[in-house]
Amino acid sequence: MKLRSVAVTLLFGYLLGSPSIEAQITGGMLNPDMDAPGEPFSYFWHPTDAIGTLFAPVASEVTPEGYIYTGFGELMFFLDNPPVPVDKRVKTLCKGYLPVVQYQLARNQITYTFSLFAANLGGEIARGGIQLAPELALRRTTPGGSDAGDVHF
């Protein structure tokens, strides 16, 4: 009787586990050729990042699209007129190691550079003395490819 219950448990474990394992293998990773040459790539379909401060009890998520989700709300970014939501799958760290999540988009001869980080405001971290600080830099290029100027927000 005990052997039968072990066999049934293993059978159910195999049947329930097989589709999820297959989905993780085939649905969770991408071919790096889909990313533009010369730019960073990610194997993951929906990569997320976290930003927060040292010893803070909570952190915020940088969503796969490039928004900031705090657990209480989501800060979304829009470009163009009419507004179109930002959707940038691959994000990098500043200088490759600093805890500042960055990504770039180019539309209509304007390069948008987003930098997302968290900073301690000097208060008690347990009381929420943390500030999320998104920075947006715009660079407009002329049709000839030269820079027409920078704007930082």
Side-chain angles (χ1 to χ4, degrees), residues 18-37:
S18 295
S20 64
I21 291 171
E22 181 181 348
Q24 289 177 6
I25 292 172
T26 60
M29 299 179 92
L30 298 174
N31 185 342
D33 290 339
M34 74 171 291
D35 294 322

Side-chain angles (χ1 to χ4, degrees), residues 30-45:
L30 298 174
N31 185 342
D33 290 339
M34 74 171 291
D35 294 322
E39 290 188 11
F41 71 93
S42 175
Y43 286 108
F44 300 104
W45 188 279

Side-chain angles (χ1 to χ4, degrees), residues 12 24 61 74 76 80 84 86 90 92 121 126 131 134-135 143 145:
F12 278 125
Q24 289 177 6
E61 175 187 30
E74 188 168 24
M76 296 178 67
D80 296 331
V84 177
V86 167
V90 179
T92 60
L121 295 176
Q131 174 186 12
E135 177 190 3

Side-chain angles (χ1 to χ4, degrees), residues 6-22:
V6 170
V8 169
T9 304
L10 289 175
L11 178 64
F12 278 125
Y14 175 76
L15 293 176
L16 294 175
S18 295
S20 64
I21 291 171
E22 181 181 348

Side-chain angles (χ1 to χ4, degrees), residues 30-139:
L30 298 174
N31 185 342
D33 290 339
M34 74 171 291
D35 294 322
E39 290 188 11
F41 71 93
S42 175
Y43 286 108
F44 300 104
W45 188 279
H46 299 290
T48 60
D49 293 292
I51 53 176
T53 61
L54 186 63
F55 303 120
V58 295
S60 296
E61 175 187 30
V62 178
T63 66
E65 298 84 11
Y67 314 141
I68 299 176
Y69 178 69
T70 64
F72 300 101
E74 188 168 24
L75 176 62
M76 296 178 67
F77 303 109
F78 295 87
L79 303 176
D80 296 331
N81 189 14
V84 177
V86 167
D87 189 5
K88 183 66 173 176
R89 188 176 62 82
V90 179
K91 297 165 275 303
T92 60
L93 295 177
C94 181
K95 297 183 181 178
Y97 66 93
L98 294 174
V100 178
V101 178
Q102 295 181 322
Y103 58 94
Q104 286 187 343
L105 294 159
R107 291 195 182 144
N108 300 329
Q109 299 176 347
I110 298 176
T111 302
Y112 300 90
T113 303
F114 290 84
S115 299
L116 312 172
F117 62 95
N120 187 346
L121 295 176
E124 290 185 39
I125 292 178
R127 291 188 167 175
I130 298 170
Q131 174 186 12
L132 297 174
E135 177 190 3
L136 173 61
L138 306 176
R139 177 175 291 242

